[in-house]
Every structure is written in C-alpha cells, then in structure tokens.
Short mmCIF file of all heavy atoms in Angstrom, two decimals:
data_model
loop_
_atom_site.label_atom_id
_atom_site.label_comp_id
_atom_site.label_asym_id
_atom_site.label_seq_id
_atom_site.Cartn_x
_atom_site.Cartn_y
_atom_site.Cartn_z
N VAL C 1 -1.98 -6.29 -21.28
CA VAL C 1 -1.34 -6.41 -20.01
C VAL C 1 -2.27 -5.76 -18.93
O VAL C 1 -2.78 -4.64 -19.01
CB VAL C 1 -0.04 -5.58 -20.03
CG1 VAL C 1 0.60 -5.70 -18.70
CG2 VAL C 1 0.94 -6.06 -21.07
N ILE C 2 -2.57 -6.54 -17.98
CA ILE C 2 -3.67 -6.21 -16.91
C ILE C 2 -3.09 -6.25 -15.54
O ILE C 2 -2.54 -7.22 -15.17
CB ILE C 2 -4.87 -7.17 -17.14
CG1 ILE C 2 -5.37 -7.52 -18.45
CG2 ILE C 2 -5.92 -6.62 -16.14
CD1 ILE C 2 -6.27 -8.56 -18.59
N ASN C 3 -3.13 -5.03 -14.83
CA ASN C 3 -2.70 -5.10 -13.47
C ASN C 3 -3.90 -5.49 -12.56
O ASN C 3 -5.00 -4.80 -12.58
CB ASN C 3 -2.11 -3.73 -13.13
CG ASN C 3 -1.88 -3.68 -11.61
OD1 ASN C 3 -1.31 -4.59 -10.99
ND2 ASN C 3 -2.13 -2.58 -11.08
N VAL C 4 -3.85 -6.47 -11.85
CA VAL C 4 -4.78 -6.87 -10.88
C VAL C 4 -4.19 -6.89 -9.35
O VAL C 4 -4.95 -7.26 -8.51
CB VAL C 4 -5.50 -8.21 -11.12
CG1 VAL C 4 -6.19 -8.21 -12.48
CG2 VAL C 4 -4.49 -9.33 -10.92
N SER C 5 -2.99 -6.38 -9.26
CA SER C 5 -2.16 -6.38 -8.08
C SER C 5 -2.57 -5.10 -7.23
O SER C 5 -3.38 -4.21 -7.64
CB SER C 5 -0.75 -6.28 -8.23
OG SER C 5 -0.30 -5.16 -8.77
N THR C 6 -2.09 -4.94 -6.14
CA THR C 6 -2.31 -3.75 -5.27
C THR C 6 -1.47 -2.54 -5.71
O THR C 6 -1.51 -1.46 -5.11
CB THR C 6 -2.20 -4.11 -3.82
OG1 THR C 6 -0.96 -4.59 -3.47
CG2 THR C 6 -3.17 -5.13 -3.32
N LYS C 7 -0.49 -2.72 -6.57
CA LYS C 7 0.28 -1.68 -6.97
C LYS C 7 -0.47 -0.53 -7.64
O LYS C 7 -1.31 -0.91 -8.61
CB LYS C 7 1.45 -2.09 -7.85
CG LYS C 7 2.39 -2.98 -7.23
CD LYS C 7 3.49 -3.53 -8.15
CE LYS C 7 4.37 -4.47 -7.51
NZ LYS C 7 5.32 -5.10 -8.58
N GLY C 8 -0.42 0.67 -7.31
CA GLY C 8 -1.21 1.80 -7.66
C GLY C 8 -2.57 1.99 -6.90
O GLY C 8 -3.21 2.99 -7.13
N ALA C 9 -2.90 1.07 -6.00
CA ALA C 9 -4.04 1.26 -5.13
C ALA C 9 -3.70 2.01 -3.96
O ALA C 9 -2.59 2.34 -3.67
CB ALA C 9 -4.65 -0.24 -4.65
N ALA C 10 -4.72 2.38 -3.18
CA ALA C 10 -4.54 3.21 -1.97
C ALA C 10 -3.75 2.48 -0.93
O ALA C 10 -3.79 1.21 -1.04
CB ALA C 10 -5.98 3.40 -1.30
N GLY C 11 -2.90 3.09 -0.15
CA GLY C 11 -2.12 2.52 0.83
C GLY C 11 -0.61 2.61 0.45
O GLY C 11 -0.26 3.39 -0.29
N ALA C 12 0.11 1.57 0.93
CA ALA C 12 1.56 1.58 0.89
C ALA C 12 2.11 1.62 -0.64
O ALA C 12 3.07 2.18 -0.89
CB ALA C 12 2.14 0.49 1.55
N PHE C 13 1.24 0.93 -1.48
CA PHE C 13 1.70 0.66 -2.89
C PHE C 13 1.13 1.81 -3.85
O PHE C 13 1.17 1.62 -5.06
CB PHE C 13 1.40 -0.62 -3.40
CG PHE C 13 2.10 -1.70 -2.76
CD1 PHE C 13 1.54 -2.51 -1.73
CD2 PHE C 13 3.51 -1.92 -2.99
CE1 PHE C 13 2.27 -3.37 -1.02
CE2 PHE C 13 4.22 -2.87 -2.26
CZ PHE C 13 3.52 -3.72 -1.35
N LYS C 14 0.54 2.79 -3.31
CA LYS C 14 -0.28 3.72 -4.19
C LYS C 14 0.57 4.36 -5.28
O LYS C 14 0.08 4.58 -6.45
CB LYS C 14 -0.90 4.86 -3.30
CG LYS C 14 -1.78 5.84 -4.07
CD LYS C 14 -2.46 6.84 -3.07
CE LYS C 14 -3.21 7.82 -3.91
NZ LYS C 14 -3.87 8.88 -3.05
N GLU C 15 1.80 4.81 -4.95
CA GLU C 15 2.63 5.58 -5.91
C GLU C 15 3.47 4.60 -6.89
O GLU C 15 4.32 5.21 -7.64
CB GLU C 15 3.62 6.50 -5.20
CG GLU C 15 2.82 7.35 -4.19
CD GLU C 15 2.02 8.37 -4.96
OE1 GLU C 15 2.33 8.65 -6.07
OE2 GLU C 15 0.85 8.75 -4.35
N TYR C 16 3.27 3.28 -6.75
CA TYR C 16 4.17 2.32 -7.48
C TYR C 16 3.44 1.89 -8.85
O TYR C 16 2.16 1.89 -8.88
CB TYR C 16 4.49 1.13 -6.75
CG TYR C 16 5.41 1.24 -5.60
CD1 TYR C 16 4.90 1.58 -4.26
CD2 TYR C 16 6.74 1.25 -5.74
CE1 TYR C 16 5.65 1.92 -3.18
CE2 TYR C 16 7.61 1.52 -4.68
CZ TYR C 16 7.08 1.78 -3.33
OH TYR C 16 8.02 1.97 -2.27
N SER C 17 4.26 1.79 -9.77
CA SER C 17 3.75 1.21 -11.07
C SER C 17 3.74 -0.45 -10.86
O SER C 17 4.50 -0.99 -10.28
CB SER C 17 4.53 1.55 -12.30
OG SER C 17 4.28 0.73 -13.48
N ALA C 18 2.70 -0.99 -11.60
CA ALA C 18 2.63 -2.44 -11.64
C ALA C 18 3.58 -3.12 -12.50
O ALA C 18 3.87 -4.35 -12.29
CB ALA C 18 1.22 -2.83 -12.14
N LEU C 19 4.24 -2.43 -13.30
CA LEU C 19 5.29 -3.05 -14.30
C LEU C 19 6.61 -3.31 -13.53
O LEU C 19 7.47 -4.18 -14.24
CB LEU C 19 5.58 -2.20 -15.38
CG LEU C 19 4.56 -2.11 -16.63
CD1 LEU C 19 4.99 -1.22 -17.73
CD2 LEU C 19 4.52 -3.65 -17.13
N ALA C 20 6.78 -2.92 -12.37
CA ALA C 20 8.23 -3.23 -11.80
C ALA C 20 8.12 -3.60 -10.29
O ALA C 20 7.13 -3.31 -9.68
CB ALA C 20 9.19 -1.96 -11.90
N PRO C 21 9.06 -4.35 -9.71
CA PRO C 21 9.09 -4.70 -8.32
C PRO C 21 8.95 -3.41 -7.50
O PRO C 21 9.44 -2.31 -7.87
CB PRO C 21 10.38 -5.35 -8.13
CG PRO C 21 10.73 -5.81 -9.41
CD PRO C 21 10.27 -4.81 -10.44
N ALA C 22 8.31 -3.43 -6.39
CA ALA C 22 8.19 -2.33 -5.38
C ALA C 22 8.74 -2.77 -4.00
O ALA C 22 8.40 -3.81 -3.40
CB ALA C 22 6.58 -2.02 -5.13
N SER C 23 9.71 -1.91 -3.51
CA SER C 23 10.26 -2.02 -2.20
C SER C 23 9.63 -1.27 -1.24
O SER C 23 9.43 0.08 -1.55
CB SER C 23 11.74 -1.85 -2.33
OG SER C 23 12.40 -2.68 -3.29
N LEU C 24 9.33 -1.72 -0.15
CA LEU C 24 8.81 -0.90 0.87
C LEU C 24 9.94 -0.60 2.03
O LEU C 24 10.90 -1.45 2.14
CB LEU C 24 7.69 -1.63 1.68
CG LEU C 24 6.41 -1.67 0.86
CD1 LEU C 24 5.30 -2.51 1.59
CD2 LEU C 24 5.84 -0.29 0.41
N PRO C 25 9.82 0.53 2.74
CA PRO C 25 8.82 1.53 2.86
C PRO C 25 8.74 2.42 1.47
O PRO C 25 9.78 2.35 0.74
CB PRO C 25 9.21 2.33 3.98
CG PRO C 25 10.75 2.23 4.08
CD PRO C 25 11.07 0.91 3.66
N ALA C 26 7.67 3.09 1.35
CA ALA C 26 7.42 3.75 0.14
C ALA C 26 8.14 5.17 0.29
O ALA C 26 7.50 6.17 0.33
CB ALA C 26 5.84 4.12 -0.05
N THR C 27 9.45 5.07 0.23
CA THR C 27 10.22 6.41 0.27
C THR C 27 10.40 6.88 -1.10
O THR C 27 10.23 6.20 -2.17
CB THR C 27 11.72 6.10 0.75
OG1 THR C 27 12.27 5.16 -0.26
CG2 THR C 27 11.63 5.48 2.16
N PRO C 28 10.62 8.19 -1.34
CA PRO C 28 10.90 8.78 -2.66
C PRO C 28 11.90 7.95 -3.41
O PRO C 28 11.66 7.80 -4.63
CB PRO C 28 11.34 10.21 -2.31
CG PRO C 28 10.67 10.58 -1.00
CD PRO C 28 10.79 9.24 -0.21
N GLU C 29 12.90 7.53 -2.85
CA GLU C 29 14.01 6.66 -3.49
C GLU C 29 13.43 5.45 -3.99
O GLU C 29 13.51 5.11 -5.25
CB GLU C 29 15.08 6.56 -2.64
CG GLU C 29 15.90 7.73 -2.19
CD GLU C 29 15.26 8.51 -1.12
OE1 GLU C 29 14.27 7.93 -0.57
OE2 GLU C 29 15.55 9.68 -0.92
N ASN C 30 12.72 4.67 -3.31
CA ASN C 30 12.09 3.34 -3.71
C ASN C 30 10.97 3.59 -4.75
O ASN C 30 11.00 2.78 -5.65
CB ASN C 30 11.54 2.71 -2.55
CG ASN C 30 12.54 2.10 -1.68
OD1 ASN C 30 13.69 1.78 -2.10
ND2 ASN C 30 12.20 1.85 -0.29
N ILE C 31 10.28 4.55 -4.70
CA ILE C 31 9.06 4.82 -5.50
C ILE C 31 9.87 5.33 -6.87
O ILE C 31 9.40 4.79 -8.02
CB ILE C 31 8.22 6.05 -5.24
CG1 ILE C 31 7.43 5.56 -4.02
CG2 ILE C 31 7.35 6.36 -6.30
CD1 ILE C 31 6.56 6.65 -3.28
N GLN C 32 10.74 6.18 -6.83
CA GLN C 32 11.46 6.56 -8.13
C GLN C 32 12.19 5.37 -8.82
O GLN C 32 12.13 5.33 -10.10
CB GLN C 32 12.50 7.72 -7.84
CG GLN C 32 13.19 8.27 -9.03
CD GLN C 32 12.19 8.76 -10.07
OE1 GLN C 32 11.16 9.33 -9.76
NE2 GLN C 32 12.45 8.53 -11.35
N LYS C 33 12.80 4.59 -8.02
CA LYS C 33 13.38 3.27 -8.63
C LYS C 33 12.42 2.49 -9.31
O LYS C 33 12.67 1.96 -10.49
CB LYS C 33 14.08 2.55 -7.56
CG LYS C 33 14.81 1.24 -8.17
CD LYS C 33 15.43 0.49 -6.91
CE LYS C 33 16.19 -0.78 -7.50
NZ LYS C 33 16.75 -1.57 -6.30
N ASN C 34 11.25 2.13 -8.70
CA ASN C 34 10.06 1.53 -9.42
C ASN C 34 9.67 2.15 -10.62
O ASN C 34 9.42 1.37 -11.72
CB ASN C 34 9.12 1.29 -8.35
CG ASN C 34 7.72 0.85 -9.01
OD1 ASN C 34 6.96 1.71 -9.43
ND2 ASN C 34 7.40 -0.40 -9.08
N LEU C 35 9.43 3.46 -10.50
CA LEU C 35 8.99 4.16 -11.76
C LEU C 35 9.91 4.20 -12.83
O LEU C 35 9.57 4.03 -14.11
CB LEU C 35 8.49 5.56 -11.43
CG LEU C 35 7.24 5.64 -10.39
CD1 LEU C 35 7.09 7.15 -10.12
CD2 LEU C 35 6.15 5.02 -10.91
N ALA C 36 11.12 4.37 -12.62
CA ALA C 36 12.22 4.32 -13.70
C ALA C 36 12.33 3.00 -14.33
O ALA C 36 12.30 2.88 -15.58
CB ALA C 36 13.53 4.77 -13.02
#
C-alpha cells in the first residue's frame, strides 16, 4: 500500500493519515476522526 497523496505532507493535511478521508479545516475533531 503506497501513499502518494498530500495526506501527511506539510500544510493542511499534515496530521491526517492516508488510509481514511480527510475533512477540512484541520480541527482536532476532524483529525481524530480521520486517525480513528
């Protein structure tokens, strides 16, 4: 499994995992939902 997306990169998606959808803005709630 290879992540080539911007998830995990610097910027708005830095704290998100590539395995799940990411909702912006990057609030603690949205990040936690993604990581869970």
